[in-house]
Amino acid sequence: MISDFHVHTTFSADSKADMEEYVKRAISKKIQRVCFTDHVDLNKNDNGYNFYAPDRYFAIFNKLKEKYKDSIELYSGIEFGEPHVYTDIFKQLSVLPYDYIIGSIHWIGNFFPCEEVRAKYSAKEFYTWYWEEVLKTVKHGGFDCLGHIDFPKRYYGEIYYSENDVKEIFKILLDKNMVIEINTSSLRKGCSETMPGREILEIYKDCGGKYVTIGSDSHFTDDIGADADAAKKLIKDFSLREVIYENRKMIILEN
C-alpha cells in the first residue's frame, strides 16, 4: 500500500495543483492514503509569506474527505517553516484539527539556498548554519515529523555534516517522540538519493530511530506518490517502520 504524507496544493503559494485533482490522480495510481501538508511560510522574504488560509483549506479538505471516503483515506496537515522562530502562530495553528504537522527549515534568517546564495556561500558554509537551525527547531518541538532533514542537498547537490551534530539532533527529536520523513523530491531534482540518504538513515537507526513517514513533497498532481518504491526499499534495508498520523497520533503500518 502507498501513502504520501507530504503533498502541496493551491493552498501553498508555490503550487497550482488542485486538491481534488490530486485525489483523483491518487486514486488512479492506487495510492491509499494522502496527507495534504500545505506550506505555512512566515519569513517576509518568502513568496508564500502569509499565503496560507486554514479556514479555506479545511472547507475544501473536509468536503473532499467526505466525498471520497469510500475510495481513499485523506488526512489534513501543514508543513510549518521554522516553528522555533514563529512560535505564537505555530501555537495557534497547532490546536487546529490537523492529523499531522511537519516542521521544516527552509530559511536561515534571510538566507534560502537559491542560486544567488549558492554563488556566494559554499555548501559546507550553508550546512553549518542549517544544522544549527535544525537543532533549534527540534529543541522547540511541537510537530510530528522533521521534514527533509538534509534540505540544502536538493539545491547544492551535496551534503556536509558532523556526525555528532546529527546525533544530537536525533537524540532530542526521538526524546520528543518525533520522527523523520523519507522525502523523495530530491530524486526529481537531479539528486541520486532521497532526503535523507543512506548515511543519515544509518545514524538515525544507530540513535534508536525506528519510524519514518514517506512524502513525495509533490507540488504537481502527477508527482503524487513519486518514488515511493525507493523510500520503501530504504525502510526495508534499514529495518525501519513506516508510520502515518491521524489526529496527531502515530499509526504504525504493516511492512
Side-chain angles (χ1 to χ4, degrees):
M1 297 180 75
I2 300 174
S3 304
D4 191 341
F5 260 60
H6 194 150
V7 177
H8 296 282
T9 76
T10 52
F11 293 102
S12 296
D14 57 356
S15 175
K16 298 183 184 301
D18 179 77
M19 192 181 285
E20 185 163 15
E21 291 304 311
Y22 262 129
V23 175
K24 293 176 181 177
R25 186 69 177 125
I27 292 170
S28 73
K29 294 177 75 170
K30 301 188 184 322
I31 296 170
Q32 288 79 23
R33 309 177 190 91
V34 172
C35 186
F36 295 110
T37 54
D38 281 298
H39 286 295
V40 179
D41 293 314
L42 297 169
N43 188 299
K44 292 184 179 180
N45 297 290
D46 196 292
N47 290 335
Y49 171 66
N50 261 349
F51 182 85
Y52 180 71
D55 290 348
R56 291 194 294 114
Y57 169 92
F58 275 110
I60 299 297
F61 172 81
N62 290 333
K63 178 181 176 182
L64 295 177
K65 184 178 176 69
E66 175 64 23
K67 180 177 179 179
Y68 291 95
K69 64 183 179 181
D70 296 327
S71 302
I72 191 170
E73 297 175 25
L74 300 179
Y75 300 84
S76 61
I78 48 173
E79 180 184 12
F80 197 105
E82 300 82 50
H84 66 292
V85 176
Y86 310 104
T87 55
D88 289 344
I89 298 177
F90 180 66
K91 185 176 181 180
Q92 291 170 21
L93 288 180
S94 295
V95 300
L96 297 181
Y98 293 109
D99 291 302
Y100 176 62
I101 297 178
I102 300 172
S104 294
I105 301 296
H106 297 122
W107 289 88
I108 301 168
N110 294 325
F111 287 159
F112 183 89
C114 61
E115 186 175 354
E116 182 180 354
V117 169
R118 296 197 306 273
K120 193 171 182 179
Y121 301 102
S122 69
K124 190 171 185 179
E125 288 175 301
F126 194 90
Y127 265 109
T128 300
W129 306 324
Y130 176 78
W131 292 123
E132 290 174 357
E133 291 302 301
V134 173
L135 179 60
K136 290 175 186 176
T137 216
V138 296
K139 283 181 175 179
H140 178 271
F143 47 91
D144 304 303
C145 176
L146 178 63
H148 42 53
I149 183 173
D150 47 1
F151 175 70
K153 180 172 68 183
R154 198 163 76 187
Y155 297 87
Y156 278 96
E158 55 187 321
I159 181 172
Y160 288 90
Y161 64 91
S162 156
E163 186 169 331
N164 286 337
D165 290 345
V166 174
K167 283 183 175 179
E168 183 180 8
I169 289 166
F170 283 151
K171 181 181 184 302
I172 295 168
L173 178 138
L174 294 170
D175 283 348
K176 292 177 177 288
N177 295 314
M178 299 185 293
V179 303
I180 63 171
E181 69 170 353
I182 297 180
N183 185 303
T184 65
S185 65
S186 51
L187 298 176
R188 306 192 302 278
K189 302 291 185 179
C191 294
S192 61
E193 60 178 22
T194 57
M195 297 184 293
R198 289 181 173 272
E199 290 182 10
I200 300 296
L201 281 175
E202 186 70 55
I203 299 172
Y204 183 63
K205 183 72 183 292
D206 288 347
C207 288
K210 299 177 182 178
Y211 307 115
V212 295
T213 62
I214 294 177
S216 67
D217 207 343
S218 173
H219 289 68
F220 303 92
T221 53
D222 283 348
D223 287 339
I224 194 165
D227 297 302
D229 55 340
K232 284 182 174 291
K233 185 177 189 308
L234 288 169
I235 288 171
K236 181 178 180 181
D237 289 350
F238 285 92
S239 300
L240 299 169
R241 299 292 301 275
E242 182 185 356
V243 298
I244 61 170
Y245 284 79
E246 185 172 9
N247 297 322
R248 307 291 308 280
K249 303 292 185 183
M250 179 193 293
I251 298 172
I252 303 171
L253 301 180
E254 295 295 328
N255 282 345

